[in-house]
Amino acid sequence: MTGLRFSALAAVALLAALNGCKGETAGNDPVSEHGMAVRPVTVTTADGKAHIFKSEVAANEAQQQQGLMYRPRLAPDAGMLFAPYPPDGGPPRAASFWMENTPNALDIIFIRADGTIATIGENAVPLSRAKVESGEPIAAVLEIAGGRAAELGIAAGDKVTWK
C-alpha cells in the first residue's frame, strides 16, 4: 500500500509540475513568455466606461527594473503593472521612470494607494533617459501603449483595479 500511495503522490506532483509548464502560476494566473503573472487591469473612466488591459505584473525589483525594455511592440490591450510600487512593499512614494532601452512610446499611468490615477506621462519618448515623474506618492504604475490613454479618454482621477 505504501508503494501505491507513493506512486499516486508522485503522479499528483508530476501533474502539478506539468500544469506549471502550461504557463500558470500557483494562483492560476497565466504567465507571460517573460515569466511574469498576467492579470486583467481595469481602468474605469469618469463616464463609467471600463477598459481592460491584459497586464504582466512586475512585482519584484528585478522585474520592475527590466519593465518593458527591449520589447519590440505592445498590443493595444496589453500593459505592464508595477505592483506593489515600490517593490519592497513600503509606503507609497514619488516615482520617476525613463524609457532607456524601451523602443515604444508608452503612457505611464501613476496610481495612488486608493486606486485613482494621480498623473499620466503620455507618449513617453522611446529610448529617452528623460524622467517621467509621478508628482506625488503612488502605490502602483500601469504602462500601456503610447496614446491609448487619450484615445480611450483615460485621465487623472479615473479608477484602476486589479486582483
Side-chain angles (χ1 to χ4, degrees), residues 35-57:
M36 293 183 221
V38 177
R39 295 188 185 135
V41 176
T42 303
V43 180
T44 305
T45 58
D47 63 3
K49 291 183 182 171
H51 304 285
I52 300 172
F53 297 92
K54 296 174 199 160
S55 301
E56 290 179 89
V57 180

Side-chain angles (χ1 to χ4, degrees), residues 14-138:
L14 178 59
L15 287 173
L18 289 174
N19 188 41
C21 292
K22 290 181 181 177
E24 294 189 1
T25 63
N28 292 327
D29 288 322
V31 175
S32 74
E33 64 186 84
H34 303 284
M36 293 183 221
V38 177
R39 295 188 185 135
V41 176
T42 303
V43 180
T44 305
T45 58
D47 63 3
K49 291 183 182 171
H51 304 285
I52 300 172
F53 297 92
K54 296 174 199 160
S55 301
E56 290 179 89
V57 180
N60 62 47
E61 187 172 350
Q63 292 170 336
Q64 290 188 11
Q65 286 178 357
Q66 179 71 29
L68 290 169
M69 289 195 297
Y70 308 107
R71 304 281 184 95
R73 91 182 253 297
L74 188 62
D77 67 341
M80 180 170 282
L81 179 67
F82 296 74
Y85 187 87
D88 64 10
R93 64 176 181 228
S96 64
F97 281 53
W98 66 66
M99 299 287 291
E100 183 176 28
N101 300 316
T102 307
N104 305 295
L106 298 174
D107 288 343
I108 303 173
I109 300 172
F110 296 100
I111 306 163
R112 297 180 184 106
D114 68 0
T116 59
I117 295 174
T119 58
I120 302 173
E122 293 186 29
N123 281 305
V125 178
L127 306 173
S128 172
R129 292 204 72 194
K131 292 181 181 178
V132 179
E133 304 203 19
S134 65
E136 65 181 83
I138 51 99

